Amino acid sequence: MTTDGWGSQLTTRVAEQIRRHRKAAGLTVAETADACTARGLPVPKTTITNLETGRRSSVDLAEFLVLADVLGVPPITLLFPLDTAPTVDVLPGQPVSTWNGLAWFTGETASTEAAPKGSPRELLDLFRAHGDAVAAARASTSLAKERRRMANTTLDPARRTELLDAATGYEQFAFDDCRALGAFRDSMRERGLVPPELPADLAFVDQSKASSKDTE
């Protein structure tokens, strides 16, 4: 396959997904164009129509991202439609399963060895691990609060004791998870990295560290 042929095939795949998700969202071409304009990047109706009908052989990256947002889908699903295409050509003449193509694109390709520190793959893995730490801290914190809330609203003494015991256990898990998250974020900063902003319910993880430094 020539480079031009591969490029056209790639655009066709993206265009098919744009049309598919636009119809699934119940949007007309005009409504889609208006929504793009509302997001700060006008994409004319003729551009969308020409893409969907194959009269346009390329798609601008900015248009691609705005259209994905308008359609309410992750941009990557327009490139790698897991539910409709069993294989894709990730490069000219290089067909792979759609999942393997997606994993290659996002840096999730399986590896038996740790990525070298500072490499693009290692940074991806690091930020994904941070996401896992955030998820763990949110889950344990939420469970602790819920058990405490339930204990404070029940009128059954035995049930209250049971829930308070459970709350105490979850609170310890939450404390450990939040402390681990804070340490993880500190290690990222020591490397000169900027950790992602914490969700509002975990903002105290950074605030408590800032308060500790102020009192030192």
Side-chain angles (χ1 to χ4, degrees):
M1 179 185 293
T2 65
T3 301
D4 289 343
W6 172 74
S8 296
Q9 182 189 76
L10 179 63
T11 302
T12 297
R13 184 165 74 239
V14 170
E16 288 174 349
Q17 292 306 303
I18 288 173
R19 182 174 186 274
R20 174 190 172 207
H21 288 292
R22 177 179 65 74
K23 288 184 171 294
L27 294 171
T28 65
V29 171
E31 289 169 340
T32 303
D34 289 343
C36 288
T37 299
R39 283 163 173 75
L41 182 74
V43 180
K45 292 185 293 183
T46 52
T47 296
I48 298 172
T49 298
N50 287 340
L51 268 175
E52 292 187 0
T53 57
R55 291 196 294 270
R56 193 177 184 202
S57 60
S58 64
V59 57
D60 180 83
L61 179 58
E63 294 170 348
F64 170 79
L65 294 175
V66 171
L67 282 166
D69 187 66
V70 167
L71 301 175
V73 298
I76 198 168
T77 63
L78 300 180
L79 281 171
F80 300 98
L82 290 168
D83 55 343
T84 60
T87 62
V88 294
D89 280 10
V90 291
L91 293 172
Q94 295 187 31
V96 299
S97 74
T98 303
W99 168 250
N100 285 341
L102 187 152
W104 165 78
F105 190 88
T106 60
E108 294 177 274
T109 306
S111 175
T112 57
E113 298 180 0
K117 188 172 182 178
S119 67
R121 174 59 187 265
E122 190 265 343
L123 289 176
L124 285 170
D125 290 344
L126 180 70
F127 276 82
R128 289 192 181 105
H130 177 272
D132 291 341
V134 169
R138 292 194 81 181
S140 56
T141 300
S142 176
L143 286 168
K145 290 179 178 178
E146 179 61 16
R147 292 303 185 279
R148 183 69 62 180
R149 184 196 65 78
M150 292 170 65
N152 291 333
T153 56
T154 184
L155 297 178
D156 183 337
R159 178 61 174 161
R160 175 180 170 78
T161 299
E162 177 185 341
L163 288 169
L164 285 174
D165 289 343
T168 299
Y170 281 120
E171 285 165 353
Q172 183 59 54
F173 282 127
F175 175 80
D176 292 340
D177 288 341
C178 290
R179 185 171 59 178
L181 174 60
F184 197 119
R185 292 172 67 80
D186 283 345
S187 69
M188 293 177 74
R189 294 187 184 99
E190 288 169 2
R191 290 183 55 178
L193 302 173
V194 179
E197 183 177 356
L198 289 170
D201 56 336
L202 290 181
F204 66 89
V205 170
D206 281 346
Q207 292 167 355
S208 61
K209 286 186 171 292
S211 297
S212 298
K213 290 182 180 179
D214 290 340
T215 57
E216 289 179 354

